[in-house]
Amino acid sequence: MPTTHARRAPPAASATVARLSGVRVKGAARRGILDLTMPRGSFHFLTGPSGAGKSRALETLALLRKPDEGCAVELFGIDPWAGDESGRAALRRRIGFAGRHDGLVDRLTTFQNAALPLALAGAPAEGRAHVVEMLDWLGLAPVAARAAGTLDRARRRALCVARALVAQPELILIDDPMDDLTPEVADRVLGLLSALGKGEAAVVMTGRDPAAARKAGATVLTLDGAG
Amino acid sequence: MKGWTEFRGTSLLRAPVRRASGVAIGLAALLACLALLGAVAAGRGASGWTAGVARELTIVVRPRVDETGPTAAARAAEAAAGVEGVTEARALDRAEAEELLRPWVREADLADLPLPMLVVARLDPETPAGPLTLNRALAEAGLDAEVDDAGPWRAEAARAAVGVRALAIALALAALGALAALAWARAASAVVAMRHDLAVLQGLGAGPGRLRGLTLRAVLPFVAAAAAGGAAGGVALGALWKLLASGGQAASALPLAWGDLLLAPAAVAVAVLAAALSTARVLREVLGGPSAHG
């Protein structure tokens, strides 16, 4: 498992990393509606049928889409949509997101893609050791110098996960990673997310295997498709 | 990206460079540059010939029976030179008179024709003498002479000069406008082509200022290089015109000064400005709302 480097103190430390309200799920105390709160050191697993809104919920939390009507999002104690785009950009730098559609820059190498969050955040180049370690751990070291556009589906997926985790974000959002990853890498990722969810980060993952997630210590929530 | 050797020499954003786009912008810049130089030269040429027309008057002298033509012309020149508002008066010899009439008689043989004696009076540009004053002075000197009243023709020439200037400026503006439109369109399509990578960087937390800087750095050098190539061609053609047409009739119709060639960067500036404005506008549209990551 990759070692961690010293995390910078968050600009606004808050016990609650993220809050998503107005999400309709099964089994909620108030039937049909759940205010999903993600404190530091939490690991949530969202599951549900295709089209239930799992990916949409993650993209909303990642500030890649505006909340749907009736749904609200709060990150680090801030309403991100009350501020401007610069403010949202600053919040995004505190989030690690790996979506279903890989957001890789095909022209850049595997290493460059993985290091993008650190480089964009102006992190010191010493962070490259952490990138190398992460790539190695996910089996991407042999292709570190290759353009991302030449990688197969499994490696692209692993690279997305590496990029989401490399900057040690406070909120980690991984959308259904297990399908495309090799079983060995999928187990490693689940183990790492579980460990991170017991530390300073809030982890939200989607998928279709709640049993494995429960085994890894995740709180499983089932979306009913009206999300 | 300081210290990240892995990113050295790598642009996070790269505009798709199509040779055809570069050639099109280069050609538009060349035409704009030539139109600009042409406008300046045409304006200078028009000013030159209208000023020349306004600065001179022609006096037709009919010798008396007891004197020769050259004598009468010399007396007329002397009388005209003494009039206030005339800086110089000179009698033309036969060859000069034939040359003056040539535009009207074309290829006709003038050797056997009786030509009038002509005197050209150069006028003071500040307080030019009028035809009436000159006619009076010539009559007082006992000369049978008359100032050729070219007033209506001069006014027409002045109007034509204004028209030439306006047309040249309109052509230059149209060429610059076409260049700007082309640079605008190419920059816009380049930004649209980069929208996936822009969305990725936005999703990773690159702010609007950072994205704008990266996009401008990806688009503008290409536009500037293409436009600079065209402008350099314009300068080369302008210099060639200056060297080859020097002293000829073409040079007097479109007199180009070496300093005019310094206008060429204006075409580059127009292309770059249009591309920058287009980039900023399309970028706002592309990043206007949060989009799916990738």
Side-chain angles (χ1 to χ4, degrees), chain A residues 64 93 97 104 107 112 123 128, chain B residues 3-4 6 11-12 196 205 290:
Chain A
L64 299 176
R93 288 194 287 273
F97 174 73
L104 298 177
R107 186 173 46 79
Q112 287 170 329
R128 71 164 60 84
Chain B
W4 285 88
E6 292 81 3
S11 304
L12 291 188
H196 168 82

Side-chain angles (χ1 to χ4, degrees), chain B residues 13-289:
Chain B
L13 283 175
R14 187 191 292 163
V17 175
R18 293 198 183 96
R19 184 174 289 185
S21 294
V23 170
I25 291 174
L27 277 175
L30 171 67
L31 291 176
C33 195
L34 291 178
L36 210 54
L37 294 177
V40 172
R44 185 180 292 121
S47 296
W49 51 261
T50 47
V53 166
R55 274 201 305 270
E56 282 185 357
L57 280 177
T58 307
I59 301 165
V60 181
V61 183
R62 288 174 286 274
R64 291 190 316 223
V65 287
D66 57 343
E67 67 182 346
T68 63
T71 308
R75 280 207 307 124
E78 191 182 345
V83 174
E84 196 177 336
V86 175
T87 57
E88 183 193 354
R90 189 171 64 84
L92 300 186
D93 60 25
R94 185 171 177 94
E96 288 174 310
E98 283 185 12
E99 188 65 27
L100 201 63
L101 293 171
R102 186 59 66 191
W104 282 270
V105 297
R106 304 218 173 174
E107 302 301 319
D109 186 7
L110 298 174
D112 299 330
L113 289 176
L115 293 184
M117 299 308 299
L118 299 174
V119 170
V120 171
R122 192 168 291 274
L123 306 178
D124 183 345
E126 302 295 323
T127 54
L132 282 175
T133 313
L134 268 170
N135 276 335
R136 197 178 306 125
L138 293 167
E140 283 170 3
L143 285 155
D144 181 8
E146 192 180 9
V147 173
D148 181 19
D149 185 8
W153 182 76
R154 277 203 301 274
E156 207 162 295
R159 277 196 297 276
V162 169
V164 166
R165 264 190 226 111
L167 184 66
I169 289 170
L171 280 174
L173 289 177
L176 285 171
L179 171 63
L182 191 63
W184 177 287
R186 298 298 177 186
S189 64
V191 176
V192 169
M194 293 189 292
R195 66 182 178 278
H196 168 82
D197 290 357
L198 281 164
V200 171
L201 297 179
Q202 185 187 27
L204 292 173
R210 184 79 179 270
L211 290 172
R212 191 164 47 247
L214 287 170
T215 312
L216 287 173
R217 277 203 294 278
V219 173
L220 295 194
F222 163 68
V223 173
V235 169
L237 288 176
L240 205 62
W241 171 267
K242 178 78 181 150
L243 290 172
L244 296 181
S246 177
Q249 282 187 333
S252 64
L254 280 176
L256 202 61
W258 287 113
D260 297 344
L261 300 179
L262 295 174
L263 284 170
V268 182
V270 164
V272 170
L273 184 65
L277 292 173
S278 167
T279 298
R281 187 193 162 111
V282 178
L283 192 60
R284 269 200 304 276
E285 287 169 11
V286 167
L287 303 177

Side-chain angles (χ1 to χ4, degrees), chain A residues 91-184:
Chain A
L91 290 174
R92 285 187 194 110
R93 288 194 287 273
R94 300 169 69 180
I95 300 169
F97 174 73
R100 282 195 64 76
H101 306 288
D102 65 39
L104 298 177
V105 181
D106 287 346
R107 186 173 46 79
L108 299 182
T109 65
T110 299
F111 181 94
Q112 287 170 329
N113 269 285
L116 264 179
L118 290 169
L120 278 175
E126 285 70 37
R128 71 164 60 84
H130 191 62
V131 179
V132 169
E133 190 181 17
M134 182 66 77
L135 291 178
D136 189 37
W137 190 71
L138 287 169
L140 294 169
V143 292
R146 265 174 56 182
T150 65
L151 300 183
D152 60 33
R153 193 179 169 86
R155 280 174 165 159
R156 287 179 73 88
R157 195 80 183 119
L159 176 53
C160 286
V161 173
R163 193 183 60 185
L165 301 178
V166 77
Q168 300 207 328
E170 295 161 71
L171 176 59
I172 297 166
L173 308 165
I174 310 286
D175 196 0
D176 207 0
M178 302 310 176
D179 274 3
D180 295 324
L181 295 177
T182 59
E184 185 193 356

